[in-house]
Amino acid sequence: MKTFVVLSCLVAVALCAPHSGLRELPAVRHEEVHDEYGQYALRYITAENTVVSERGRLIPSPNGGHVLEIEGQYQFIGDDGQLYVTKYRGGPDGFHVDGAHLPDPVAIPAL
């Protein structure tokens, strides 16, 4: 499950990166909260005003246990001056991405 969360975070960060190359600017604001069960919430804003927020929470699974469900979004202003907002969520039913600038539907099936 940790691999799923880490992979999801990497996908979100990779999608935020500009196509001309990775920029190394620090976050100007960073908030992060974790609990003892692995649930979390995070939010950060970069110097270029990219905003990323995500939370992970435990939900009951059909087998009686729990699974970590993630949901989040990131937004940035593109080179064309447009605001791009991408929302995503991952859980027992797979990883789903939604944004007005993306083809419909974008879904990654569960493993």
Side-chain angles (χ1 to χ4, degrees):
M1 181 46 64
K2 287 182 182 180
T3 303
F4 178 75
V5 172
V6 170
L7 178 61
S8 300
C9 292
L10 290 174
V11 167
V13 170
L15 291 173
C16 286
H19 296 292
S20 61
L22 185 61
R23 299 178 187 168
E24 297 183 20
L25 295 175
V28 294
R29 184 167 186 181
H30 181 244
E31 303 164 358
E32 195 166 343
V33 178
H34 296 267
D35 72 7
E36 64 272 13
Y37 303 108
Q39 301 179 112
Y40 66 93
L42 65 88
R43 183 172 191 266
Y44 63 89
I45 303 172
T46 69
E48 293 179 318
N49 209 25
T50 297
V51 180
V52 178
S53 61
E54 182 175 296
R55 74 178 184 147
R57 63 188 175 105
L58 291 173
I59 60 170
S61 66
N63 66 0
H66 290 84
V67 65
L68 187 66
E69 179 180 71
I70 62 163
E71 61 184 8
Q73 76 173 38
Y74 60 91
Q75 64 185 41
F76 62 95
I77 297 176
D79 293 338
D80 58 0
Q82 296 289 322
L83 176 66
Y84 293 91
V85 178
T86 305
K87 296 181 180 185
Y88 59 91
R89 65 182 171 82
D93 61 340
F95 188 76
H96 305 274
V97 181
D98 182 41
H101 59 287
L102 298 173
D104 192 35
V106 175
I108 300 172
L111 298 176

